[in-house]
Amino acid sequence: MTPPPGWYPDPHAPHLERWWDGTTWTEHRREPALPGPPVPVAADGTSGRARAIALTTAGAVLVAAIVTGAFVLREDDGGEGTGADVAATESITPTHAPTSEPPSPADTAPEPAADDPAVVEDQLNGITVPLLDGWVRPQYTVDDDILMTTDGTYDCPGDPGVCRHGLVTSRTVTDNDETSPEALAEADISEAADAAYDRDLIGKRPFGGIESHQLVKSGPVAVAGRAGYFVRWRVKTAEGPGGYVQSLAFQSSVGTEAPVIVRYVFDAGEDGPPLADMDRITQGIRSLSGTADGGVGSSIGPTG
């Protein structure tokens, strides 16, 4: 059984207390609470508070001994320490009761890490993309560029096949020397629309083909601290309600910093995902380094 959430001696700094959320250590730390007013004396002549302090001190000594032992063993091996050493000390479970209420909900939450279950990691382009409610990681797809899809499938309204109500993909631009996000997004949107609603990879027309399109909006936007640009179309198809397609272009912050294009495909109608998810996903894109600002155009926001 794991201890309940509460403040316990920090395994790395026993003079401080660290919040245990019932499963793992968080990054919240504090100075130990100072003793309060006297409390009733127990039958054996010791106060309840004295007992609590004694137990807290004993727990801190025990945890400190374990941590010290781990570092001694590491030094005996003659190395600088490995990820396994850190994991071993981080996984130490507290053994005494909590001393106060959990941290205030007003505490600022850290940026999501790459292994956060609520984000999808794109290592090639050095970004993470938020995984919103109703979206899942790609399953049973043949396109390696797919980052996420809406949950579930349906029978395509045109040629036989299986369709999804929403799709988000990413790719690195390597076929030309263009670096302008605006030029890249404007050049990509037609191809993105055709791939989504005209013909699929094997030449079928799951929506009967595109009959017309209309520009919904376009403009500059900051993406993971970099200046980007997006173009959004409303597409009318021969079969089904049609949909919305968006091309978003920006420069990666890793490697050669080659331009990246993220495509959004959202079915229209009540079964399609909320159109606002396009902006929510764009605003939630982060660099794998964990930074979300500081690049060129970081003050630019989505346009109306």
Side-chain angles (χ1 to χ4, degrees):
M1 294 180 62
T2 60
W7 292 103
Y8 301 94
D10 187 340
H12 295 295
H15 63 287
L16 296 176
E17 291 181 337
R18 188 170 178 181
W19 183 257
W20 172 264
D21 65 8
T23 303
T24 187
W25 293 110
T26 70
E27 292 306 314
H28 297 282
R29 294 179 172 85
R30 71 173 192 181
E31 295 287 341
L34 295 175
V39 296
V41 176
D44 60 359
T46 61
S47 69
R49 183 173 299 278
R51 286 185 172 183
I53 294 173
L55 289 174
T56 301
T57 305
V61 172
L62 175 59
V63 173
I66 295 173
V67 175
T68 303
F71 278 96
V72 169
L73 289 174
R74 185 179 62 184
E75 292 298 328
D76 287 344
D77 291 338
E80 292 296 325
T82 65
D85 297 325
V86 176
T89 57
E90 284 289 346
S91 64
I92 295 173
T93 303
T95 57
H96 64 278
T99 58
S100 73
E101 295 300 317
S104 168
D107 290 342
T108 303
E111 293 294 342
D115 58 354
D116 190 321
V119 300
V120 176
E121 182 178 315
D122 179 2
Q123 291 188 341
L124 178 62
N125 295 309
I127 58 174
T128 63
V129 182
L131 191 65
L132 306 181
D133 290 343
W135 292 82
V136 296
R137 290 175 173 79
Q139 298 175 346
Y140 313 112
T141 59
V142 296
D143 190 345
D144 292 336
D145 293 336
I146 295 177
L147 291 175
M148 67 182 76
T149 70
T150 46
D151 195 5
T153 61
Y154 66 98
D155 293 334
C156 300
D159 284 343
V162 174
C163 289
R164 292 177 171 82
H165 291 298
L167 193 71
V168 179
T169 67
S170 67
R171 68 183 184 90
T172 308
V173 179
T174 58
D175 53 357
N176 61 58
D177 296 328
E178 182 62 66
T179 58
S180 164
E182 180 175 358
L184 288 169
E186 290 180 343
D188 183 74
I189 189 65
S190 178
E191 181 182 339
D194 287 346
Y197 289 107
D198 194 58
R199 293 183 183 273
D200 62 17
L201 295 175
I202 58 177
K204 291 185 177 181
R205 291 192 166 187
F207 299 92
I210 295 177
E211 293 189 337
S212 64
H213 75 269
Q214 178 183 5
L215 175 65
V216 176
K217 63 178 181 178
S218 63
V221 61
V223 185
R226 295 301 181 100
Y229 196 90
F230 75 98
V231 179
R232 185 181 301 172
W233 281 7
R234 170 68 164 93
V235 175
K236 182 179 179 181
T237 55
E239 303 287 344
Y244 296 87
V245 180
Q246 177 171 296
S247 291
L248 169 68
F250 59 96
Q251 281 190 316
S252 172
S253 60
V254 299
T256 60
E257 298 190 354
V260 178
I261 291 182
V262 177
R263 290 178 176 176
Y264 305 72
V265 178
F266 284 32
D267 280 358
E270 61 182 12
D271 293 328
L275 194 57
D277 277 4
M278 285 192 181
D279 294 330
R280 293 175 62 199
I281 291 171
T282 299
Q283 294 165 3
I285 295 175
R286 297 287 184 266
S287 167
L288 276 175
S289 65
T291 59
D293 52 19
V296 177
S298 59
S299 62
I300 301 173
T303 59

